[in-house]
Each structure stands twice: as structure tokens, then as C-alpha cells.
Amino acid sequence: MTPGSWTVSKEPSTEQREWCRAGRCLFATRHWADILCTLQATPSFAWNPARQIGFVLPVFRRLGLPIGFLGFPVTDPQPHGDDAREIAGIAGLSMMRSNLSFATAWDPLATAGLPEIWIQNLASWHPSVNRKLSRDIAFARRAGTDTHITLVCSNAAACHALYAAAVTHHQGRARYNRDYFAKLAEVATVTDELQFRCAVASDGELLGFAVLAVNGKTGYYLHGAASASGRRQGISDLLLDSIISAAQNAGCERFTLMASPWDQPGLTAFKRKWGDSEGLVLTYDSGFGILGGIAAMAARWQSRSARSNASQTHGNYRQPLGMP
């Protein structure tokens, strides 16, 4: 193996473990790989000793083809142009997918793009920058005087039920199962790079939850949902305020509310209330061999079809950055 090339292994090397620890790189750790196992992924660890960067490489099988993700849910740090091909060749993949955050321009080479909202300079950000947001948080604090935000999740199944109900309400597809939420809650008890916060009423009712991930210098709003009574009380605002404060305390420089489906403009509008920057999460698919190439072409077609259907249903609601 030539110096500076990638290695792919079933367990992270000592170097990769130390790099993750020093840089707070949750998405490249054994903990994160264990979480992805609940989604029927087979994870490996990609590591470049010369450049001192690494990824968890979860592999999913679609129609019998091994399809890898160069990091999940996003690819961070940014890869070089040939990284996906080299790693896929070592791992024997038919297709490699990379999801790159914070894009400020559309790239015609991308397979897909989803709207992303984020806070660019987290250290100096405060809710008072948005008058409506300040009012909404003040209302939620008044309405939730008997609500307690816990720093641990004691009922992951109930949180999954809230998530599934929210997805159904928006006519989406639930991508995450109950075991995934249980593993999130478990890992959150052993590392503060993952924080699972729940809003609980005085009678014990779960009103909502939010999950923060810290990866490098970025805080990620992984998941969140609220019950009907929680929504009436503005619990989502209280929880998001809580995890953004936690990301600031962790030294994060940016905070992303992450990508939103094209067919859920209400979710995008909620995120715009919090963020001060808007762009895209761009997806790149590299296919290898005949079948891998067909799979990459199918992924591009599926993305365009979904975006077209959303546009017909909801109109061009601030489709960002001149996307085709």
C-alpha cells in the first residue's frame, strides 16, 4: 500500500481513535458505527494516516448491491476528488455516496440537493437576532413552567413514537427505527458529543425531544419532535434553544439544522426562524462497474422526480441557489 493511501478496516485504528477523541469527531467513532448498525448497515472505518482524517463507512445493500456512505449522515471533513473512488475500490463497493453540507452554490455534478439552514457564527449568535424567535421562546417558557428538560432519555420508544407520528403527519417515510433511537439514547449516556434531551411535563408526559451531535467544530440538530400538547406549548422552541446553547458551550463554530425534504416546506420555515444562512446539502454518487453506474443514474432520476413532485404540490417555495 502506497504512503498516504487509505486503509479500510472493521475496527478503527489507534490513530483514528485518538484523532476522533482530540477533534470530537463523533461521526467517525466506534460509538457512531454501533448506532448505524441498527439501520442494517455494515460499518467499516476508513482512515488516511498521511492526512490524518477518517470516516465511518456504513455499507447498505440495495437490490443486492453494496452501497457505501463516505460518512453518515454527512461527509465531514471534506474529501478530495479521488477519495470516494479509492475507498470504494478497497471496500469492494458498487456505489459510494457523499453528502456535503453548507453548499452555497449548486453543482451540476451533484446527484441531488436538499435545502439546509444553519447558523454561521454560533459563538456570537443569540435568539434576540430574530424578533419572532424571541417572542416564541418567551411564550414557550411561560407555557411550560411545569415542564422539565432532562439531559438523558429514559424512554427511547416514546421518542421514536413521536418521531414516527411527525413523519406520518408530514406524509414522509420513517427512516429510523426504534432500535436506532434506543442506541442513540444509550450512547448519549457515555459521551457528551451526543446529547438526547427530553421535555417532560410534571405528570410525566413526554412532550418532545431533541438530539444534538457534535462533530468537529459543528453542532448538528439530528432529530426532534413534539406531541400535540407539546406543540401547543412551543416545546420545540425550548428544546432547540437548549441544544443550541449546548453546542455553544461545546465550542462549536457552526450549528446546522440539517437538510429538509422538498415536500415539507413547513419544516423548512420552522428552521428558517432559527438559522441565519441558507444553502444546500449536496449529494454525490459515484458508481463503479455497470451495475453501480446504473444505480447512480437511478439515484439522480429519483431525486429529480421527488423535487419535481414537491414543486407541483407546494410551488417553488424559495427553491435555493437556482437549482434546476
Side-chain angles (χ1 to χ4, degrees):
M1 186 165 295
T2 59
S5 62
W6 288 90
T7 64
V8 177
S9 57
K10 292 301 181 184
E11 293 294 333
S13 66
T14 301
E15 274 190 303
Q16 184 167 358
R17 290 178 187 272
E18 177 57 26
W19 174 77
C20 289
R21 187 201 63 78
R24 308 196 73 183
C25 298
L26 173 68
F27 293 156
T29 63
R30 177 77 254 177
H31 284 318
W32 191 248
D34 290 342
I35 289 169
L36 298 183
C37 284
T38 66
L39 302 178
Q40 285 72 59
T42 302
S44 295
F45 296 85
W47 175 245
N48 191 305
R51 286 159 52 195
Q52 291 287 294
I53 61 172
F55 303 95
V56 166
L57 179 67
V59 177
F60 300 85
R61 300 197 77 86
R62 298 289 184 267
L63 300 177
L65 299 178
I67 297 175
F69 283 70
L70 194 58
F72 185 96
V74 295
T75 304
D76 182 30
Q78 297 283 319
H80 288 178
D82 294 330
D83 286 340
R85 179 174 295 277
E86 181 179 351
I87 295 170
I90 297 170
L93 302 178
S94 296
M95 191 176 89
M96 179 75 88
R97 170 165 289 184
S98 303
N99 292 318
L100 302 186
S101 243
F102 308 115
T104 56
W106 172 252
D107 182 353
L109 296 178
T111 301
L114 291 173
E116 179 182 22
I117 314 293
W118 68 87
I119 298 169
Q120 179 63 27
N121 187 351
L122 185 59
S124 63
W125 182 89
H126 190 271
S128 61
V129 298
N130 184 317
R131 185 176 299 178
K132 180 180 184 333
L133 177 58
S134 295
R135 290 199 305 265
D136 288 350
I137 292 175
F139 166 79
R141 287 173 177 162
R142 292 193 303 270
T145 54
D146 66 342
T147 299
H148 175 59
I149 295 181
T150 69
L151 302 184
V152 295
C153 171
S154 59
N155 193 340
C159 290
H160 174 261
L162 286 186
Y163 154 78
V167 171
T168 299
H169 175 74
H170 291 290
Q171 298 180 327
R173 179 174 64 89
R175 299 171 57 197
Y176 302 98
N177 56 40
R178 185 179 296 184
D179 290 342
Y180 168 84
F181 275 81
K183 184 59 75 171
L184 281 179
E186 177 186 325
V187 171
T189 65
V190 297
T191 174
D192 62 1
E193 292 158 18
L194 187 67
Q195 299 190 25
F196 202 136
R197 302 196 171 194
C198 296
V200 182
S202 57
D203 62 359
E205 178 190 359
L206 176 67
L207 299 174
F209 73 92
V211 181
L212 165 70
V214 174
N215 191 70
K217 293 294 185 179
T218 303
Y220 292 83
Y221 175 41
L222 281 188
H223 304 286
S227 66
S229 57
R231 289 193 296 272
R232 288 193 295 270
Q233 297 179 39
I235 288 300
S236 294
D237 289 318
L238 278 185
L239 286 164
L240 197 44
D241 183 53
S242 174
I243 66 169
I244 289 177
S245 295
Q248 288 176 319
N249 293 336
C252 293
E253 296 175 356
R254 287 190 292 194
F255 181 88
T256 175
L257 294 110
M258 305 196 67
S260 300
W262 287 108
D263 59 358
Q264 295 185 23
L267 178 59
T268 303
F270 171 75
K271 293 180 178 181
R272 283 194 180 113
K273 182 175 68 173
W274 288 88
D276 57 21
S277 301
E278 182 168 354
L280 296 162
V281 174
L282 294 179
T283 295
Y284 296 83
D285 289 321
S286 301
F288 309 102
I290 295 175
L291 294 179
I294 292 173
M297 290 178 59
R300 184 181 296 271
W301 176 85
Q302 185 179 33
S303 170
R304 289 181 175 176
S305 176
R307 194 165 67 243
S308 175
N309 291 339
S311 178
Q312 292 175 15
T313 303
H314 302 286
N316 290 320
Y317 54 95
R318 287 179 59 183
Q319 195 156 284
L321 308 178
M323 282 190 66

